[in-house]
Amino acid sequence: EDKVVQSPLSLVVHEGDTVTLNCSYEVTNFRSLLWYKQEKKAPTFLFMLTSSGIEKKSGRLSSILDKKELFSILNITATQTGDSAIYLCAPRRIHKIIFGKGTRLHILP
Amino acid sequence: DSGVTQTPKHLITATGQRVTLRCSPRSGDLSVYWYQQSLDQGLQFLIQYYNGEERAKGNILERFSAQQFPDLHSELNLSSLELGDSALYFCASSVAADGTGSGETQYFGPGTRLLVL
């Protein structure tokens, strides 16, 4: 059975801190892994990862995939209050996309 | 604004009823995905259509059905509604179908909030 586990479930840090969010997965016929940020409403796309070891960066956010160990991490440096959100990891297999329960991140000013 | 539109924004109905949720993908996107998000279950993938044909199926109940029309808009039909169907229903679109290229990036609509009383 396909499985996605995100940790931690919840994280509270101060502005300026660096955070690392984890996603481990067991998915047959794996194709890619996506990260989303969900604030009040719809998720917004952050990254799509298909190859191991290649870091993707977007401003203060970066992410990397390890297809051998079946996990991905999302790093946010110099956090800001606007980073407060739920971060969702979603491995994609053939004919299916599986979302994790998310990590709820709260940034204190 | 992602370019994906969903109607209606909110829907309140009674158990046993049937509703239709509508989604218009971004211009040029051929794939449409439907998701259900409830408090206890998180975001659940329901179904994907690509250029009018069903492409992938997730945790979609038999009481639910979807279709994608020639103009690429999609409808999700929910019938014999139960209290547990109350949730936020998202539609997302992407250019591609089922590969590993950047065309797979999914853009989410604002969602339809369904409340079954």
PDB file of all heavy atoms in Angstrom, chain A residues 31-32 36 38 41-43 45 48 50 88 92-97 99 101, chain B residues 33 35 37 43 45 48 55-56 90 97-98 100-101 104-106 108-110:
ATOM      1  N   ARG A  31       7.017   8.190  -9.975  1.00  0.00           N
ATOM      2  CA  ARG A  31       7.373   9.010 -11.123  1.00  0.00           C
ATOM      3  C   ARG A  31       8.031  10.326 -10.699  1.00  0.00           C
ATOM      4  O   ARG A  31       9.030  10.745 -11.264  1.00  0.00           O
ATOM      5  CB  ARG A  31       6.130   9.330 -11.964  1.00  0.00           C
ATOM      6  CG  ARG A  31       5.403   8.124 -12.495  1.00  0.00           C
ATOM      7  CD  ARG A  31       6.300   7.272 -13.382  1.00  0.00           C
ATOM      8  NE  ARG A  31       6.622   7.942 -14.625  1.00  0.00           N
ATOM      9  CZ  ARG A  31       5.905   7.843 -15.727  1.00  0.00           C
ATOM     10  NH1 ARG A  31       4.797   7.115 -15.745  1.00  0.00           N
ATOM     11  NH2 ARG A  31       6.294   8.457 -16.828  1.00  0.00           N
ATOM     12  N   SER A  32       7.422  11.011  -9.732  1.00  0.00           N
ATOM     13  CA  SER A  32       7.951  12.310  -9.311  1.00  0.00           C
ATOM     14  C   SER A  32       7.393  12.648  -7.935  1.00  0.00           C
ATOM     15  O   SER A  32       6.487  11.975  -7.452  1.00  0.00           O
ATOM     16  CB  SER A  32       7.595  13.402 -10.312  1.00  0.00           C
ATOM     17  OG  SER A  32       6.187  13.499 -10.458  1.00  0.00           O
ATOM     18  N   TYR A  36       3.911  21.297  -2.112  1.00  0.00           N
ATOM     19  CA  TYR A  36       2.931  22.377  -2.191  1.00  0.00           C
ATOM     20  C   TYR A  36       2.898  23.142  -0.883  1.00  0.00           C
ATOM     21  O   TYR A  36       3.146  22.584   0.182  1.00  0.00           O
ATOM     22  CB  TYR A  36       1.520  21.833  -2.444  1.00  0.00           C
ATOM     23  CG  TYR A  36       1.283  21.349  -3.852  1.00  0.00           C
ATOM     24  CD1 TYR A  36       1.539  20.032  -4.202  1.00  0.00           C
ATOM     25  CD2 TYR A  36       0.800  22.214  -4.816  1.00  0.00           C
ATOM     26  CE1 TYR A  36       1.323  19.587  -5.484  1.00  0.00           C
ATOM     27  CE2 TYR A  36       0.575  21.775  -6.118  1.00  0.00           C
ATOM     28  CZ  TYR A  36       0.839  20.453  -6.439  1.00  0.00           C
ATOM     29  OH  TYR A  36       0.619  20.024  -7.713  1.00  0.00           O
ATOM     30  N   GLN A  38       0.161  25.326   1.363  1.00  0.00           N
ATOM     31  CA  GLN A  38      -1.257  25.642   1.473  1.00  0.00           C
ATOM     32  C   GLN A  38      -1.472  26.605   2.617  1.00  0.00           C
ATOM     33  O   GLN A  38      -1.251  26.269   3.775  1.00  0.00           O
ATOM     34  CB  GLN A  38      -2.094  24.375   1.661  1.00  0.00           C
ATOM     35  CG  GLN A  38      -3.589  24.653   1.626  1.00  0.00           C
ATOM     36  CD  GLN A  38      -4.433  23.409   1.610  1.00  0.00           C
ATOM     37  OE1 GLN A  38      -4.013  22.344   2.058  1.00  0.00           O
ATOM     38  NE2 GLN A  38      -5.651  23.508   1.103  1.00  0.00           N
ATOM     39  N   LYS A  41      -6.407  28.732   1.494  1.00  0.00           N
ATOM     40  CA  LYS A  41      -7.275  28.010   0.560  1.00  0.00           C
ATOM     41  C   LYS A  41      -6.529  26.972  -0.267  1.00  0.00           C
ATOM     42  O   LYS A  41      -6.097  25.953   0.249  1.00  0.00           O
ATOM     43  CB  LYS A  41      -7.987  29.012  -0.359  1.00  0.00           C
ATOM     44  CG  LYS A  41      -9.350  29.443   0.159  1.00  0.00           C
ATOM     45  CD  LYS A  41     -10.404  28.462  -0.272  1.00  0.00           C
ATOM     46  CE  LYS A  41     -11.817  28.813   0.156  1.00  0.00           C
ATOM     47  NZ  LYS A  41     -12.668  29.279  -0.923  1.00  0.00           N
ATOM     48  N   ALA A  42      -6.366  27.243  -1.546  1.00  0.00           N
ATOM     49  CA  ALA A  42      -5.839  26.222  -2.452  1.00  0.00           C
ATOM     50  C   ALA A  42      -4.324  26.067  -2.316  1.00  0.00           C
ATOM     51  O   ALA A  42      -3.608  27.026  -2.079  1.00  0.00           O
ATOM     52  CB  ALA A  42      -6.186  26.594  -3.894  1.00  0.00           C
ATOM     53  N   PRO A  43      -3.827  24.833  -2.475  1.00  0.00           N
ATOM     54  CA  PRO A  43      -2.375  24.623  -2.475  1.00  0.00           C
ATOM     55  C   PRO A  43      -1.722  25.344  -3.650  1.00  0.00           C
ATOM     56  O   PRO A  43      -2.300  25.435  -4.733  1.00  0.00           O
ATOM     57  CB  PRO A  43      -2.233  23.107  -2.648  1.00  0.00           C
ATOM     58  CG  PRO A  43      -3.551  22.539  -2.247  1.00  0.00           C
ATOM     59  CD  PRO A  43      -4.564  23.569  -2.611  1.00  0.00           C
ATOM     60  N   PHE A  45       1.861  25.426  -5.936  1.00  0.00           N
ATOM     61  CA  PHE A  45       2.987  24.571  -6.300  1.00  0.00           C
ATOM     62  C   PHE A  45       4.305  25.205  -5.873  1.00  0.00           C
ATOM     63  O   PHE A  45       4.520  26.404  -6.054  1.00  0.00           O
ATOM     64  CB  PHE A  45       2.965  24.368  -7.816  1.00  0.00           C
ATOM     65  CG  PHE A  45       4.174  23.680  -8.363  1.00  0.00           C
ATOM     66  CD1 PHE A  45       4.308  22.309  -8.283  1.00  0.00           C
ATOM     67  CD2 PHE A  45       5.186  24.416  -8.961  1.00  0.00           C
ATOM     68  CE1 PHE A  45       5.422  21.673  -8.787  1.00  0.00           C
ATOM     69  CE2 PHE A  45       6.310  23.789  -9.482  1.00  0.00           C
ATOM     70  CZ  PHE A  45       6.416  22.418  -9.389  1.00  0.00           C
ATOM     71  N   MET A  48       8.772  20.396  -8.209  1.00  0.00           N
ATOM     72  CA  MET A  48       8.615  19.022  -8.661  1.00  0.00           C
ATOM     73  C   MET A  48      10.000  18.408  -8.768  1.00  0.00           C
ATOM     74  O   MET A  48      10.897  18.995  -9.382  1.00  0.00           O
ATOM     75  CB  MET A  48       7.917  18.928 -10.014  1.00  0.00           C
ATOM     76  CG  MET A  48       7.707  17.484 -10.420  1.00  0.00           C
ATOM     77  SD  MET A  48       6.730  17.286 -11.901  1.00  0.00           S
ATOM     78  CE  MET A  48       7.949  17.668 -13.122  1.00  0.00           C
ATOM     79  N   THR A  50      12.249  14.964  -9.738  1.00  0.00           N
ATOM     80  CA  THR A  50      12.209  13.680 -10.424  1.00  0.00           C
ATOM     81  C   THR A  50      13.535  12.933 -10.293  1.00  0.00           C
ATOM     82  O   THR A  50      13.552  11.706 -10.361  1.00  0.00           O
ATOM     83  CB  THR A  50      11.899  13.857 -11.921  1.00  0.00           C
ATOM     84  OG1 THR A  50      12.844  14.798 -12.471  1.00  0.00           O
ATOM     85  CG2 THR A  50      10.504  14.396 -12.125  1.00  0.00           C
ATOM     86  N   LEU A  88       2.737  20.510   1.980  1.00  0.00           N
ATOM     87  CA  LEU A  88       2.288  19.181   1.572  1.00  0.00           C
ATOM     88  C   LEU A  88       3.291  18.548   0.614  1.00  0.00           C
ATOM     89  O   LEU A  88       3.759  19.190  -0.321  1.00  0.00           O
ATOM     90  CB  LEU A  88       0.930  19.278   0.861  1.00  0.00           C
ATOM     91  CG  LEU A  88      -0.225  19.834   1.687  1.00  0.00           C
ATOM     92  CD1 LEU A  88      -1.378  20.239   0.786  1.00  0.00           C
ATOM     93  CD2 LEU A  88      -0.696  18.802   2.691  1.00  0.00           C
ATOM     94  N   ARG A  92       4.087  11.085  -6.797  1.00  0.00           N
ATOM     95  CA  ARG A  92       3.204  10.679  -7.874  1.00  0.00           C
ATOM     96  C   ARG A  92       3.695   9.348  -8.416  1.00  0.00           C
ATOM     97  O   ARG A  92       4.871   9.180  -8.721  1.00  0.00           O
ATOM     98  CB  ARG A  92       3.218  11.712  -8.982  1.00  0.00           C
ATOM     99  CG  ARG A  92       2.349  11.281 -10.123  1.00  0.00           C
ATOM    100  CD  ARG A  92       2.016  12.374 -11.066  1.00  0.00           C
ATOM    101  NE  ARG A  92       1.034  11.858 -12.024  1.00  0.00           N
ATOM    102  CZ  ARG A  92       0.219  12.610 -12.720  1.00  0.00           C
ATOM    103  NH1 ARG A  92       0.252  13.912 -12.571  1.00  0.00           N
ATOM    104  NH2 ARG A  92      -0.631  12.070 -13.563  1.00  0.00           N
ATOM    105  N   ARG A  93       2.761   8.416  -8.543  1.00  0.00           N
ATOM    106  CA  ARG A  93       3.051   7.137  -9.202  1.00  0.00           C
ATOM    107  C   ARG A  93       2.207   7.080 -10.464  1.00  0.00           C
ATOM    108  O   ARG A  93       1.396   7.971 -10.705  1.00  0.00           O
ATOM    109  CB  ARG A  93       2.707   5.966  -8.284  1.00  0.00           C
ATOM    110  CG  ARG A  93       1.307   6.009  -7.731  1.00  0.00           C
ATOM    111  CD  ARG A  93       0.923   4.726  -7.070  1.00  0.00           C
ATOM    112  NE  ARG A  93       0.632   3.710  -8.078  1.00  0.00           N
ATOM    113  CZ  ARG A  93       0.015   2.588  -7.830  1.00  0.00           C
ATOM    114  NH1 ARG A  93      -0.352   2.293  -6.596  1.00  0.00           N
ATOM    115  NH2 ARG A  93      -0.223   1.713  -8.776  1.00  0.00           N
ATOM    116  N   ILE A  94       2.385   6.069 -11.223  1.00  0.00           N
ATOM    117  CA  ILE A  94       1.571   5.937 -12.428  1.00  0.00           C
ATOM    118  C   ILE A  94       0.099   5.867 -12.014  1.00  0.00           C
ATOM    119  O   ILE A  94      -0.277   5.065 -11.176  1.00  0.00           O
ATOM    120  CB  ILE A  94       1.969   4.669 -13.204  1.00  0.00           C
ATOM    121  CG1 ILE A  94       3.375   4.850 -13.771  1.00  0.00           C
ATOM    122  CG2 ILE A  94       0.991   4.390 -14.327  1.00  0.00           C
ATOM    123  CD1 ILE A  94       3.928   3.617 -14.443  1.00  0.00           C
ATOM    124  N   HIS A  95      -0.695   6.737 -12.584  1.00  0.00           N
ATOM    125  CA  HIS A  95      -2.158   6.762 -12.400  1.00  0.00           C
ATOM    126  C   HIS A  95      -2.604   7.165 -11.005  1.00  0.00           C
ATOM    127  O   HIS A  95      -3.753   6.943 -10.657  1.00  0.00           O
ATOM    128  CB  HIS A  95      -2.787   5.412 -12.761  1.00  0.00           C
ATOM    129  CG  HIS A  95      -2.526   5.017 -14.183  1.00  0.00           C
ATOM    130  ND1 HIS A  95      -2.628   5.903 -15.221  1.00  0.00           N
ATOM    131  CD2 HIS A  95      -2.140   3.854 -14.712  1.00  0.00           C
ATOM    132  CE1 HIS A  95      -2.318   5.292 -16.349  1.00  0.00           C
ATOM    133  NE2 HIS A  95      -2.024   4.052 -16.075  1.00  0.00           N
ATOM    134  N   LYS A  96      -1.722   7.751 -10.191  1.00  0.00           N
ATOM    135  CA  LYS A  96      -2.191   8.141  -8.870  1.00  0.00           C
ATOM    136  C   LYS A  96      -1.248   9.173  -8.242  1.00  0.00           C
ATOM    137  O   LYS A  96      -0.046   9.148  -8.478  1.00  0.00           O
ATOM    138  CB  LYS A  96      -2.256   6.921  -7.961  1.00  0.00           C
ATOM    139  CG  LYS A  96      -3.190   7.079  -6.793  1.00  0.00           C
ATOM    140  CD  LYS A  96      -3.366   5.758  -6.060  1.00  0.00           C
ATOM    141  CE  LYS A  96      -4.211   5.957  -4.827  1.00  0.00           C
ATOM    142  NZ  LYS A  96      -4.359   4.719  -4.060  1.00  0.00           N
ATOM    143  N   ILE A  97      -1.825  10.051  -7.435  1.00  0.00           N
ATOM    144  CA  ILE A  97      -1.036  11.031  -6.688  1.00  0.00           C
ATOM    145  C   ILE A  97      -1.431  10.876  -5.237  1.00  0.00           C
ATOM    146  O   ILE A  97      -2.608  10.820  -4.919  1.00  0.00           O
ATOM    147  CB  ILE A  97      -1.366  12.461  -7.158  1.00  0.00           C
ATOM    148  CG1 ILE A  97      -1.112  12.592  -8.647  1.00  0.00           C
ATOM    149  CG2 ILE A  97      -0.567  13.490  -6.371  1.00  0.00           C
ATOM    150  CD1 ILE A  97      -1.937  13.649  -9.306  1.00  0.00           C
ATOM    151  N   PHE A  99      -1.072  12.361  -1.375  1.00  0.00           N
ATOM    152  CA  PHE A  99      -0.645  13.484  -0.550  1.00  0.00           C
ATOM    153  C   PHE A  99      -0.374  13.028   0.875  1.00  0.00           C
ATOM    154  O   PHE A  99      -1.113  12.208   1.434  1.00  0.00           O
ATOM    155  CB  PHE A  99      -1.726  14.561  -0.515  1.00  0.00           C
ATOM    156  CG  PHE A  99      -1.696  15.475  -1.699  1.00  0.00           C
ATOM    157  CD1 PHE A  99      -2.291  15.103  -2.894  1.00  0.00           C
ATOM    158  CD2 PHE A  99      -1.064  16.702  -1.622  1.00  0.00           C
ATOM    159  CE1 PHE A  99      -2.255  15.939  -3.998  1.00  0.00           C
ATOM    160  CE2 PHE A  99      -1.032  17.550  -2.718  1.00  0.00           C
ATOM    161  CZ  PHE A  99      -1.620  17.166  -3.903  1.00  0.00           C
ATOM    162  N   LYS A 101      -0.096  14.138   4.995  1.00  0.00           N
ATOM    163  CA  LYS A 101      -1.003  14.928   5.848  1.00  0.00           C
ATOM    164  C   LYS A 101      -0.491  16.357   6.027  1.00  0.00           C
ATOM    165  O   LYS A 101      -1.197  17.229   6.500  1.00  0.00           O
ATOM    166  CB  LYS A 101      -1.171  14.260   7.210  1.00  0.00           C
ATOM    167  CG  LYS A 101      -1.877  12.909   7.138  1.00  0.00           C
ATOM    168  CD  LYS A 101      -3.355  13.068   7.330  1.00  0.00           C
ATOM    169  CE  LYS A 101      -4.139  11.849   6.907  1.00  0.00           C
ATOM    170  NZ  LYS A 101      -4.188  10.757   7.792  1.00  0.00           N
TER     171      LYS A 101
ATOM    172  N   TYR B  33      -7.585  17.592 -12.657  1.00  0.00           N
ATOM    173  CA  TYR B  33      -7.564  16.700 -11.496  1.00  0.00           C
ATOM    174  C   TYR B  33      -8.616  17.168 -10.508  1.00  0.00           C
ATOM    175  O   TYR B  33      -8.803  18.366 -10.325  1.00  0.00           O
ATOM    176  CB  TYR B  33      -6.205  16.769 -10.790  1.00  0.00           C
ATOM    177  CG  TYR B  33      -5.009  16.532 -11.668  1.00  0.00           C
ATOM    178  CD1 TYR B  33      -4.529  17.535 -12.518  1.00  0.00           C
ATOM    179  CD2 TYR B  33      -4.326  15.318 -11.630  1.00  0.00           C
ATOM    180  CE1 TYR B  33      -3.427  17.330 -13.313  1.00  0.00           C
ATOM    181  CE2 TYR B  33      -3.210  15.110 -12.415  1.00  0.00           C
ATOM    182  CZ  TYR B  33      -2.765  16.110 -13.260  1.00  0.00           C
ATOM    183  OH  TYR B  33      -1.660  15.898 -14.044  1.00  0.00           O
ATOM    184  N   TYR B  35      -9.743  16.831  -6.387  1.00  0.00           N
ATOM    185  CA  TYR B  35      -9.296  16.454  -5.053  1.00  0.00           C
ATOM    186  C   TYR B  35     -10.393  16.763  -4.045  1.00  0.00           C
ATOM    187  O   TYR B  35     -11.170  17.701  -4.222  1.00  0.00           O
ATOM    188  CB  TYR B  35      -8.061  17.255  -4.637  1.00  0.00           C
ATOM    189  CG  TYR B  35      -6.830  16.997  -5.463  1.00  0.00           C
ATOM    190  CD1 TYR B  35      -6.559  17.759  -6.595  1.00  0.00           C
ATOM    191  CD2 TYR B  35      -5.925  15.998  -5.099  1.00  0.00           C
ATOM    192  CE1 TYR B  35      -5.424  17.524  -7.353  1.00  0.00           C
ATOM    193  CE2 TYR B  35      -4.787  15.773  -5.850  1.00  0.00           C
ATOM    194  CZ  TYR B  35      -4.554  16.542  -6.971  1.00  0.00           C
ATOM    195  OH  TYR B  35      -3.421  16.313  -7.724  1.00  0.00           O
ATOM    196  N   GLN B  37     -10.748  17.582   0.086  1.00  0.00           N
ATOM    197  CA  GLN B  37      -9.999  17.852   1.318  1.00  0.00           C
ATOM    198  C   GLN B  37     -10.966  17.996   2.478  1.00  0.00           C
ATOM    199  O   GLN B  37     -11.795  18.901   2.509  1.00  0.00           O
ATOM    200  CB  GLN B  37      -9.156  19.119   1.191  1.00  0.00           C
ATOM    201  CG  GLN B  37      -8.240  19.334   2.389  1.00  0.00           C
ATOM    202  CD  GLN B  37      -7.247  20.458   2.176  1.00  0.00           C
ATOM    203  OE1 GLN B  37      -7.572  21.489   1.606  1.00  0.00           O
ATOM    204  NE2 GLN B  37      -6.010  20.263   2.625  1.00  0.00           N
ATOM    205  N   LEU B  43      -5.782  15.977   2.055  1.00  0.00           N
ATOM    206  CA  LEU B  43      -6.065  16.128   0.629  1.00  0.00           C
ATOM    207  C   LEU B  43      -6.033  14.754  -0.033  1.00  0.00           C
ATOM    208  O   LEU B  43      -5.043  14.044   0.040  1.00  0.00           O
ATOM    209  CB  LEU B  43      -5.009  17.043   0.017  1.00  0.00           C
ATOM    210  CG  LEU B  43      -5.303  17.699  -1.323  1.00  0.00           C
ATOM    211  CD1 LEU B  43      -6.534  18.567  -1.251  1.00  0.00           C
ATOM    212  CD2 LEU B  43      -4.102  18.533  -1.745  1.00  0.00           C
ATOM    213  N   PHE B  45      -6.661  12.569  -3.597  1.00  0.00           N
ATOM    214  CA  PHE B  45      -6.803  12.600  -5.042  1.00  0.00           C
ATOM    215  C   PHE B  45      -8.012  11.755  -5.436  1.00  0.00           C
ATOM    216  O   PHE B  45      -8.147  10.615  -5.007  1.00  0.00           O
ATOM    217  CB  PHE B  45      -5.523  12.063  -5.684  1.00  0.00           C
ATOM    218  CG  PHE B  45      -5.623  11.744  -7.142  1.00  0.00           C
ATOM    219  CD1 PHE B  45      -5.873  12.743  -8.066  1.00  0.00           C
ATOM    220  CD2 PHE B  45      -5.456  10.449  -7.594  1.00  0.00           C
ATOM    221  CE1 PHE B  45      -5.970  12.445  -9.418  1.00  0.00           C
ATOM    222  CE2 PHE B  45      -5.540  10.145  -8.947  1.00  0.00           C
ATOM    223  CZ  PHE B  45      -5.798  11.143  -9.863  1.00  0.00           C
ATOM    224  N   GLN B  48      -8.371  11.959 -12.454  1.00  0.00           N
ATOM    225  CA  GLN B  48      -7.728  12.826 -13.428  1.00  0.00           C
ATOM    226  C   GLN B  48      -8.279  12.550 -14.820  1.00  0.00           C
ATOM    227  O   GLN B  48      -8.495  11.395 -15.186  1.00  0.00           O
ATOM    228  CB  GLN B  48      -6.212  12.583 -13.458  1.00  0.00           C
ATOM    229  CG  GLN B  48      -5.485  13.413 -14.512  1.00  0.00           C
ATOM    230  CD  GLN B  48      -4.114  12.875 -14.893  1.00  0.00           C
ATOM    231  OE1 GLN B  48      -3.666  11.878 -14.348  1.00  0.00           O
ATOM    232  NE2 GLN B  48      -3.448  13.528 -15.824  1.00  0.00           N
ATOM    233  N   ARG B  55      -7.781   9.370 -16.930  1.00  0.00           N
ATOM    234  CA  ARG B  55      -6.373   9.007 -16.989  1.00  0.00           C
ATOM    235  C   ARG B  55      -5.910   8.283 -15.723  1.00  0.00           C
ATOM    236  O   ARG B  55      -5.058   7.418 -15.765  1.00  0.00           O
ATOM    237  CB  ARG B  55      -5.542  10.264 -17.171  1.00  0.00           C
ATOM    238  CG  ARG B  55      -4.086  10.033 -17.396  1.00  0.00           C
ATOM    239  CD  ARG B  55      -3.857   9.575 -18.803  1.00  0.00           C
ATOM    240  NE  ARG B  55      -2.469   9.309 -19.060  1.00  0.00           N
ATOM    241  CZ  ARG B  55      -1.956   9.242 -20.273  1.00  0.00           C
ATOM    242  NH1 ARG B  55      -2.701   9.440 -21.332  1.00  0.00           N
ATOM    243  NH2 ARG B  55      -0.681   8.978 -20.426  1.00  0.00           N
ATOM    244  N   ALA B  56      -6.415   8.724 -14.613  1.00  0.00           N
ATOM    245  CA  ALA B  56      -5.987   8.131 -13.344  1.00  0.00           C
ATOM    246  C   ALA B  56      -7.138   8.222 -12.354  1.00  0.00           C
ATOM    247  O   ALA B  56      -7.959   9.131 -12.427  1.00  0.00           O
ATOM    248  CB  ALA B  56      -4.762   8.850 -12.784  1.00  0.00           C
ATOM    249  N   PHE B  90     -11.300  20.544  -4.610  1.00  0.00           N
ATOM    250  CA  PHE B  90     -10.410  21.307  -5.470  1.00  0.00           C
ATOM    251  C   PHE B  90     -10.323  20.671  -6.844  1.00  0.00           C
ATOM    252  O   PHE B  90     -10.348  19.453  -6.990  1.00  0.00           O
ATOM    253  CB  PHE B  90      -8.992  21.335  -4.898  1.00  0.00           C
ATOM    254  CG  PHE B  90      -8.811  22.197  -3.700  1.00  0.00           C
ATOM    255  CD1 PHE B  90      -8.569  21.634  -2.461  1.00  0.00           C
ATOM    256  CD2 PHE B  90      -8.858  23.580  -3.802  1.00  0.00           C
ATOM    257  CE1 PHE B  90      -8.384  22.431  -1.336  1.00  0.00           C
ATOM    258  CE2 PHE B  90      -8.671  24.382  -2.689  1.00  0.00           C
ATOM    259  CZ  PHE B  90      -8.438  23.808  -1.455  1.00  0.00           C
ATOM    260  N   ALA B  97       0.078  14.992 -19.061  1.00  0.00           N
ATOM    261  CA  ALA B  97      -0.776  13.904 -18.593  1.00  0.00           C
ATOM    262  C   ALA B  97      -0.155  13.102 -17.469  1.00  0.00           C
ATOM    263  O   ALA B  97      -0.670  13.037 -16.378  1.00  0.00           O
ATOM    264  CB  ALA B  97      -1.120  12.984 -19.750  1.00  0.00           C
ATOM    265  N   ASP B  98       0.940  12.468 -17.738  1.00  0.00           N
ATOM    266  CA  ASP B  98       1.457  11.528 -16.748  1.00  0.00           C
ATOM    267  C   ASP B  98       2.921  11.270 -16.995  1.00  0.00           C
ATOM    268  O   ASP B  98       3.340  10.141 -17.126  1.00  0.00           O
ATOM    269  CB  ASP B  98       0.662  10.218 -16.824  1.00  0.00           C
ATOM    270  CG  ASP B  98       1.061   9.256 -15.720  1.00  0.00           C
ATOM    271  OD1 ASP B  98       1.609   9.713 -14.717  1.00  0.00           O
ATOM    272  OD2 ASP B  98       0.850   8.050 -15.888  1.00  0.00           O
ATOM    273  N   THR B 100       7.144  13.030 -16.479  1.00  0.00           N
ATOM    274  CA  THR B 100       8.017  13.563 -15.443  1.00  0.00           C
ATOM    275  C   THR B 100       8.532  14.937 -15.824  1.00  0.00           C
ATOM    276  O   THR B 100       9.463  15.438 -15.249  1.00  0.00           O
ATOM    277  CB  THR B 100       9.221  12.621 -15.231  1.00  0.00           C
ATOM    278  OG1 THR B 100       9.871  12.422 -16.485  1.00  0.00           O
ATOM    279  CG2 THR B 100       8.776  11.296 -14.669  1.00  0.00           C
ATOM    280  N   GLY B 101       7.942  15.556 -16.800  1.00  0.00           N
ATOM    281  CA  GLY B 101       8.405  16.871 -17.223  1.00  0.00           C
ATOM    282  C   GLY B 101       7.745  18.001 -16.455  1.00  0.00           C
ATOM    283  O   GLY B 101       6.828  17.799 -15.681  1.00  0.00           O
ATOM    284  N   GLU B 104       3.877  18.911 -15.847  1.00  0.00           N
ATOM    285  CA  GLU B 104       3.027  18.261 -14.861  1.00  0.00           C
ATOM    286  C   GLU B 104       2.678  19.162 -13.709  1.00  0.00           C
ATOM    287  O   GLU B 104       1.905  18.774 -12.849  1.00  0.00           O
ATOM    288  CB  GLU B 104       3.751  17.040 -14.301  1.00  0.00           C
ATOM    289  CG  GLU B 104       3.605  15.820 -15.141  1.00  0.00           C
ATOM    290  CD  GLU B 104       3.593  14.587 -14.286  1.00  0.00           C
ATOM    291  OE1 GLU B 104       2.592  14.341 -13.600  1.00  0.00           O
ATOM    292  OE2 GLU B 104       4.611  13.891 -14.278  1.00  0.00           O
ATOM    293  N   THR B 105       3.283  20.337 -13.618  1.00  0.00           N
ATOM    294  CA  THR B 105       2.959  21.237 -12.511  1.00  0.00           C
ATOM    295  C   THR B 105       1.469  21.475 -12.473  1.00  0.00           C
ATOM    296  O   THR B 105       0.861  21.834 -13.482  1.00  0.00           O
ATOM    297  CB  THR B 105       3.682  22.579 -12.701  1.00  0.00           C
ATOM    298  OG1 THR B 105       5.078  22.339 -12.772  1.00  0.00           O
ATOM    299  CG2 THR B 105       3.377  23.529 -11.560  1.00  0.00           C
ATOM    300  N   GLN B 106       0.896  21.268 -11.312  1.00  0.00           N
ATOM    301  CA  GLN B 106      -0.550  21.427 -11.175  1.00  0.00           C
ATOM    302  C   GLN B 106      -0.888  22.769 -10.558  1.00  0.00           C
ATOM    303  O   GLN B 106      -0.291  23.174  -9.573  1.00  0.00           O
ATOM    304  CB  GLN B 106      -1.107  20.325 -10.282  1.00  0.00           C
ATOM    305  CG  GLN B 106      -1.025  18.957 -10.919  1.00  0.00           C
ATOM    306  CD  GLN B 106      -1.589  17.904 -10.016  1.00  0.00           C
ATOM    307  OE1 GLN B 106      -2.582  18.131  -9.315  1.00  0.00           O
ATOM    308  NE2 GLN B 106      -0.980  16.752 -10.015  1.00  0.00           N
ATOM    309  N   PHE B 108      -3.909  24.876  -8.840  1.00  0.00           N
ATOM    310  CA  PHE B 108      -5.172  24.606  -8.155  1.00  0.00           C
ATOM    311  C   PHE B 108      -6.148  25.766  -8.292  1.00  0.00           C
ATOM    312  O   PHE B 108      -5.760  26.938  -8.230  1.00  0.00           O
ATOM    313  CB  PHE B 108      -4.917  24.361  -6.661  1.00  0.00           C
ATOM    314  CG  PHE B 108      -4.467  22.959  -6.360  1.00  0.00           C
ATOM    315  CD1 PHE B 108      -3.188  22.538  -6.684  1.00  0.00           C
ATOM    316  CD2 PHE B 108      -5.317  22.046  -5.737  1.00  0.00           C
ATOM    317  CE1 PHE B 108      -2.758  21.240  -6.406  1.00  0.00           C
ATOM    318  CE2 PHE B 108      -4.894  20.752  -5.453  1.00  0.00           C
ATOM    319  CZ  PHE B 108      -3.625  20.355  -5.795  1.00  0.00           C
ATOM    320  N   GLY B 109      -7.409  25.412  -8.429  1.00  0.00           N
ATOM    321  CA  GLY B 109      -8.470  26.390  -8.354  1.00  0.00           C
ATOM    322  C   GLY B 109      -8.768  26.750  -6.908  1.00  0.00           C
ATOM    323  O   GLY B 109      -8.215  26.142  -5.985  1.00  0.00           O
ATOM    324  N   PRO B 110      -9.655  27.703  -6.669  1.00  0.00           N
ATOM    325  CA  PRO B 110      -9.943  28.172  -5.305  1.00  0.00           C
ATOM    326  C   PRO B 110     -10.783  27.198  -4.493  1.00  0.00           C
ATOM    327  O   PRO B 110     -10.906  27.356  -3.283  1.00  0.00           O
ATOM    328  CB  PRO B 110     -10.707  29.474  -5.537  1.00  0.00           C
ATOM    329  CG  PRO B 110     -11.305  29.323  -6.892  1.00  0.00           C
ATOM    330  CD  PRO B 110     -10.375  28.480  -7.691  1.00  0.00           C
TER     331      PRO B 110
END
